[in-house]
Every structure is written in C-alpha cells, then in structure tokens.
Amino acid sequence: MVDTVTLIYGDKQIELPVLRGTEGDPAIDVSQLRARTGMITYDPSLANTGICQSQITFIDGERGILRYRGIPIEQFTAKPNFVEVVWLLIFGRLPNKEELAEFSELLTENELVHEGIKYQFQRIPVDAPPMAILSAIVTSLAFYHQQFLAVEDRESIVQAAARLISKVRTIAAFACRRSQGLPFIYPDPKLRYCANFLHMMFSIPYRQYEITPEVEDALNLLFILHADHEQNCSTSTVRLVGSARANLFASCAAGVCALWGPLHGGANVEVIQMLERIRDGGLSAEDCLRHAKDKDNPFRLYGFGHRVYRNFDPRATILKAACERVFAQMNRNDPLLDIARKLEELALADPYFVERQLYPNVDFYSGILLRAIGIPTNMFTVCFAIGRLPGWIAQWKEQHIDPTSRILRPRQVYAGPPESRYVPIDQR
Ligand code: SDX
C-alpha cells in the first residue's frame, strides 16, 4: 500500500505518491506532476525539495542528529581517523584493516602532484585567494589525469578519488606556502594523511615540523566533521555538474567555488574576523547582535543559523569541546574562544535568535581550532574543502553509478515581458 496525497485544483484532483526515507521522513513524489497536470512546483531556495534519494548521510535538523552511513558522528571522535571515514562515505561501510591499509597506501602513492602544477603556481599572484587557486588547480588535474575524465568502472572511480583526496592536501599546502613566500615542502610517504598535510604546511628545509598527537587528532576530527552533510549548497553543486556526466575533477572544482561563499564554507573566515574585531575593540559582542538583528544592516552573526538544523549543529558542540580540550593539552588559551563563548551565550538568550531557532553551526568554532593548529585564516575554507571532498566524491559517485539518474535541469516560473516585436535600431 503506497501512501499518497491528494492534489485538488479546479475541478480536477490527482493522487501523488509519498516516498518514505529510512527514518520515516516523508516526501511527496512530484516527478510526474507536470506530465499529469501541466503544473510545476515552486521552491526557489529548494528548502522544501529533495533532489535525490541518498544512502550516505542522514541529518535530523530538529533533533540535531548527523550520521555518516548510519553511524552518529559522535562515534568517530574518540580515535578520529579521517581516511577511515573517507572510505566509509565512498564505499558505504567501514573498511577492515587490510582495506584501510590498501587505501592508505593508494593515497600515499598519489600524494605528489605533477611537476607541471608546481610550475603553474609560478604564474599565480602571491596574494591570490587560496579558494581560487584550489578550484583552478583541482580543475587542472584534468590536464595530467586524462584517463579519469570518463570513469565508468569502480576501479577507475577509486583511482580518480584517491588522486583527488591525496593531492588536494599538496595543492592546499603549496597554495599556502606560495602566499607566505616559503619553499614548497614535498609530501613525506612515511607520514599518515593529516600528519603529511601538517608537514607540508609547516616544515621548513632541514627542520621537520614536529607533529604532536593532539594536533594530528584535532585535524583528523576537523576533517571528519566536515566530510559530508547531505545536499548542502556545494554538494548539490557537485551533483548538478556531475549530472551532465562532467568528470570528477570539474565537478569537485565547482563544489570548491560554491563552498567559497561567505554564507557557506567561507563563513569560518568571517567568524574569526568578527571575533578578532571584538578582541581588538572595533566591535562589542552586543554590537554584533544588534547589527545582526538590524534588517537595514547586511551584517550577519556568522557561524550562527542553518537551513536544516533547528537545534544545535552537533558538529559545533563537538568542536567547542575539542577547542577546550586542545587548548588544555597545549596549555594555551585563545581570547577568541572566550569571546565566542560569550557571543553564543548572548545570542542563545536573545529572543531574536531563539524565535528563529538560530544556533551555532559548524563554522562558529572550527576556525578557533584551526588557529590553534596554526592554520592561517585565509586557509580555513580550503581546510573545509579538504574535509568535504570525500562527501562530494561519494555523492558524485552515488549519482554517477545510478542508472536512473538524469541531467539536473530545474524549471522556472517566467515573469518576464509578454511576446513583443523586434524593433530595428533606426526606429528605437
Ligand atoms: C554551512 O547546508 C549546509 O549543510 C551547510 C553546512 C555544510 O556542512 O555544508 O552546514 C555548512 O554553510 C553552515 C552555514 C555557514 N553560514 C553562516 O554561518 C552564515 C550566517 N548564517 C546565515 O546566513 C544563515 O543562517 C544561513 C545561510 C546559514 C541559512 O540561511 P537560510 O536558511 O536561508 O535562513 P534565512 O536567511 O532565511 O534566515 C531566517 C531568518 C531571517 O530573519 P527573518 O527574515 O525571519 O526576520 O533568520 C535570520 C534571517 O535574517 N538569520 C540571521 C542569521 N541567520 C539567519 N540573522 C542574523 N544572523 C544570522 N547568522
């Protein structure tokens, strides 16, 4: 017995099927609506529209739940291993020891970038935005790995994914070093995924960066918490581009561009700049809330609010605790953490934020932890992209291997002028 809803319009009525997700989440299937009624639905921000059925990530925004392939994200925090979560998201289950070792080896084999990419960097201005560099260089992987422009079999997808996931660290580190006027540090095949990224970011010739367990764990945790988030803006962008059968490099480069936006992944930079302005006396916490509530002021309380979470973003809760733990381990403090805590406290007591169910999101504390690790602010969104890449790839693959998937091509409601005539220029 299929659930249905009845649509009545004028003297007509039709039954539309209701889909139910694993957790009982209902969706009205309107895929035949236009064919049966001549009508389309209208949902400009897609807030009420599902573009796919997916088995990868589950979010319950009302209860603040986030699960990767059914596993609550809280269960990855004890011994965070980003590469293990990469495998889980892309292949649908946790890897056994052999699978994890084999995949880690594949990432190590692919950690270097083609030397041509190193020369591309010489043409990039030293003050170029790192997200512009990341998008451009990820696209240019298609120059050097043309055998993966049309991947159809599982092995090719694995090989293309491994190249992207491994090389994105090298590209990001090279972009950071270029902006700092420092020499590129090549990846070290003896190091694990996150340790290798830290090595490329912070070692200098003849002085290897000393990787501590708490910093390596913190980076694994950060990447895990950013790894996937169902149909967010950048992931839907990857799906949209990939639906045209565009290659994985092009699709993920498009995802980088979407993530760059300050309403999305770029928010982690905005949060830190907002906290620094408060620290430096240019703004008070109370000013922030006042500006954020002022409809005539474009200011937003960055790091707050979310399209889906109407409760705490579980990632923000985990990151806040991680900040406190890492600072204790480092025997350090950061005034920005105290400011962030105060801002959160003020906002959660303010009717404007309470009525709109605006809570801290993943970006509110992530930057403070990235700072504690030593990542420069202009690299925060790049780090978000490194974390999100496996999610983009998993979602791209899920769509790519689905025989029922079609090119994504939304419709519109036309609101322009009625039919008119062309007027020759000498008559205008
Ligand atoms: C990410 O989708 C994802 O899953 C994204 C992400 C992921 O992992 O991929 O979780 C990552 O992008 C997190 C969000 C990072 N962005 C920010 O922190 C930017 C600040 N937040 C807002 O811009 C906003 O909350 C969004 C963009 C996150 C959500 O936008 P929506 O769903 O379109 O919400 P909205 O703009 O319609 O807001 C509803 C109301 C409005 O007020 P009213 O018109 O009802 O009076 O809430 C207000 C908004 O003005 N509001 C805010 C606010 N967020 C919402 N007011 C002040 N400051 C804010 N941060």
Side-chain angles (χ1 to χ4, degrees):
M1 172 65 178
V2 175
D3 273 354
T4 61
V5 293
T6 303
L7 180 64
I8 299 170
Y9 59 105
D11 58 354
K12 296 182 182 163
Q13 83 173 40
I14 60 168
E15 300 298 311
L16 292 170
V18 173
L19 286 178
R20 287 219 176 258
T22 305
E23 299 296 326
D25 34 326
I28 302 171
D29 180 346
V30 296
S31 54
Q32 298 305 313
L33 183 68
R34 192 169 189 282
R36 297 177 62 189
T37 69
M39 287 198 288
I40 61 170
T41 59
Y42 179 63
D43 184 20
S45 71
L46 298 180
N48 306 282
T49 298
I51 64 166
C52 63
Q53 294 188 55
S54 177
Q55 301 176 18
I56 299 168
T57 292
F58 173 71
I59 299 176
D60 181 324
E62 281 65 37
R63 294 189 294 160
I65 290 173
L66 172 58
R67 300 179 195 145
Y68 293 156
R69 298 288 187 177
I71 302 173
I73 54 161
E74 291 79 5
Q75 296 184 18
F76 298 106
T77 57
K79 289 183 62 55
N81 181 330
F82 178 57
V83 172
E84 183 179 59
V85 171
V86 169
W87 210 94
L88 168 72
L89 289 172
I90 294 176
F91 301 111
R93 61 174 171 78
L94 288 167
N96 61 35
K97 283 182 186 169
E98 292 72 28
E99 289 164 331
L100 184 57
E102 187 184 338
F103 189 62
S104 298
E105 183 51 35
L106 183 60
L107 295 178
T108 300
E109 286 164 16
N110 285 286
E111 62 192 13
L112 278 172
V113 292
H114 189 288
E115 282 293 286
I117 286 180
K118 194 177 82 171
Y119 299 123
Q120 278 173 248
F121 270 96
Q122 290 171 2
R123 297 288 175 270
I124 294 174
V126 289
D127 62 347
M131 286 297 274
I133 298 173
L134 186 64
S135 170
I137 303 293
V138 165
T139 302
S140 74
L141 289 175
F143 301 168
Y144 307 102
H145 306 285
Q146 298 190 37
Q147 72 273 36
F148 298 118
L149 296 188
V151 291
E152 294 309 332
D153 60 291
R154 181 188 187 281
E155 185 50 27
S156 299
I157 291 176
V158 172
Q159 291 294 330
R163 277 157 181 74
L164 259 172
I165 287 163
S166 190
K167 297 179 193 302
V168 73
R169 294 171 294 176
T170 314
I171 295 165
F174 280 13
C176 187
R177 304 287 287 203
R178 168 102 178 123
S179 72
Q180 296 170 333
L182 292 172
F184 291 163
I185 297 293
Y186 279 70
D188 177 344
K190 297 187 298 300
L191 296 175
R192 290 183 297 268
Y193 188 89
C194 290
N196 216 346
F197 177 59
L198 292 166
H199 159 64
M200 290 188 276
M201 284 286 286
F202 302 127
S203 291
I204 53 177
Y206 311 111
R207 198 176 78 209
Q208 184 105 347
Y209 170 75
E210 188 189 337
I211 295 152
T212 60
E214 58 264 16
V215 168
E216 187 178 1
D217 281 350
L219 192 57
N220 271 286
L221 179 64
L222 269 161
F223 286 159
I224 288 170
L225 294 177
H226 288 82
D228 193 50
H229 214 239
E230 58 132 279
Q231 302 313 313
N232 60 86
C233 179
S234 54
T235 299
S236 300
T237 301
V238 170
R239 277 187 174 260
L240 191 73
V241 173
S243 76
R245 309 302 280 184
N247 64 76
L248 187 56
F249 305 128
S251 303
C252 291
V256 170
C257 292
L259 189 70
W260 191 358
L263 293 187
H264 191 14
N268 56 20
V269 175
E270 301 289 339
V271 169
I272 286 297
Q273 290 172 345
M274 175 178 70
L275 298 176
E276 285 173 336
R277 282 179 64 197
I278 296 173
R279 178 200 60 196
D280 301 340
L283 195 65
S284 72
E286 292 73 11
D287 290 339
C288 277
L289 298 198
R290 187 159 38 77
H291 296 333
K293 296 187 285 186
D294 177 359
K295 293 305 173 193
D296 298 325
N297 189 325
F299 182 89
R300 312 221 78 167
L301 187 60
Y302 283 98
F304 256 74
H306 199 276
R307 173 61 57 77
V308 176
Y309 289 119
R310 293 300 173 230
N311 196 320
F312 273 85
D313 179 336
R315 301 167 299 177
T317 306
I318 294 169
L319 283 167
K320 180 179 179 181
C323 286
E324 288 157 356
R325 182 176 65 250
V326 169
F327 282 131
Q329 288 167 339
M330 293 174 149
N331 194 22
R332 270 182 49 189
N333 190 16
D334 183 342
L336 299 191
L337 180 55
D338 300 328
I339 293 168
R341 285 197 198 103
K342 181 181 178 194
L343 210 43
E344 176 184 351
E345 187 185 324
L346 287 174
L348 296 183
D350 185 306
Y352 173 93
F353 291 88
V354 173
E355 286 158 13
R356 292 167 177 78
Q357 298 175 298
L358 304 177
Y359 292 90
N361 60 51
V362 68
D363 292 301
F364 194 62
Y365 287 102
S366 58
I368 295 172
L369 194 53
L370 287 164
R371 261 166 67 91
I373 292 171
I375 306 283
T377 302
N378 70 343
M379 290 294 293
F380 284 3
T381 311
V382 171
C383 288
F384 192 147
I386 295 172
R388 183 52 53 87
L389 190 57
W392 289 338
I393 293 169
Q395 301 263 355
W396 183 93
K397 170 175 174 277
E398 184 175 65
Q399 173 180 263
H400 193 78
I401 63 176
D402 175 359
T404 67
S405 79
R406 301 168 66 201
I407 193 167
L408 294 176
R409 203 279 187 207
R411 303 303 297 267
Q412 64 165 25
V413 173
Y414 176 68
E419 185 175 358
S420 57
R421 288 179 52 255
Y422 176 79
V423 178
I425 193 159
D426 54 7
Q427 296 174 30
R428 290 177 210 155

